[in-house]
Amino acid sequence: MQPTHRGLLHHLVITVSSVSRSAPFYGTMFRHLGYELGGSSYGGSYEYEDWRRMDQDTPHEISIVTADPKLAEVPHRRGAVGHHHHLAFCALDRADVDRFHADVLVPLEEKGLCTIEDAPCDCPEYGQGYYATFFADPDGLKYEFVSNPNHRRRHE
C-alpha cells in the first residue's frame, strides 16, 4: 500500500511570548493528544519545545518558540496578517471532548495557564453533530478540540 500522507501537515511552529511561561499549557495539552517531547532548549537566546507524533504514517511536529525579543511585546491580534485565527485538533467523539475539557482545560484554567472560551457545546452552525470546546493559550492564541461526525460521513 502506498503512503497516504502526501499533503498532510508536516510541522507547525507557534511563536509565543515566552516558552518557559507557555510550556506548562502546551505540554499538558500535547501529552493528552498523544505527542511526545522530541527536543527542547530553555534559558538561551533561542528557547523552544518540539512536540512530535510519529504514529500517523508521517512525521507530525508542532513546535513552540520564543518570539524575537524585538517583537515580543507585539500582542497577538486574531485576524491580523500572519496571525492564526485558531487551530483545531480532532477528537474521537463527544466524550473525548468532554474528557479533554475536564481533565486538561479546567485544571489549566484554574492555574491561570489558559482561558476556556466555550465549554463543550453543540455548534450547529458548523454542521449537525459538530461538538467542540474552544480555549486560548497564555498569549491569547485560540484553539479548538472538536468532534465532527459529518466529516467522517462525507468520506465513507
Side-chain angles (χ1 to χ4, degrees), residues 10 12 37 43 48 50 54 61 65 71-73 89 94 107 115 123 125 129 136 139 155:
H10 187 277
L12 172 69
L37 186 61
Y48 71 91
D50 293 332
M54 301 297 282
E61 181 174 287
V65 300
L71 302 172
E73 297 302 317
F89 292 96
R94 293 171 69 96
T115 302
C123 304
E125 64 273 27
D139 289 308
H155 293 61

Side-chain angles (χ1 to χ4, degrees), residues 97-119:
V97 174
D98 292 339
R99 277 190 306 276
F100 181 78
H101 176 262
D103 296 348
V104 175
L105 297 181
V106 169
L108 284 171
E109 187 175 56
E110 288 172 353
K111 293 176 186 171
L113 297 171
C114 84
T115 302
I116 299 170
E117 294 187 3
D118 291 296

Side-chain angles (χ1 to χ4, degrees), residues 1-81:
M1 185 164 122
Q2 221 171 0
T4 59
H5 63 268
R6 183 177 182 273
L8 295 180
L9 182 67
H10 187 277
H11 67 273
L12 172 69
V13 178
I14 301 168
T15 303
V16 298
S17 62
S18 166
V19 168
S20 299
R21 177 175 157 236
S22 296
F25 165 81
Y26 284 99
T28 301
M29 177 175 71
F30 288 147
R31 278 187 195 93
H32 186 85
L33 298 177
Y35 290 77
E36 295 177 9
L37 186 61
S40 61
S41 177
Y42 310 99
S45 60
Y46 182 71
E47 288 191 322
Y48 71 91
E49 285 189 349
D50 293 332
W51 291 89
R52 299 182 178 138
R53 285 197 56 177
M54 301 297 282
D55 60 335
Q56 300 294 317
D57 187 35
T58 187
H60 182 77
E61 181 174 287
I62 302 176
S63 301
I64 60 171
V65 300
T66 297
D68 179 320
K70 293 177 275 191
L71 302 172
E73 297 302 317
V74 176
H76 171 71
R77 297 283 307 236
R78 195 174 311 150
V81 174

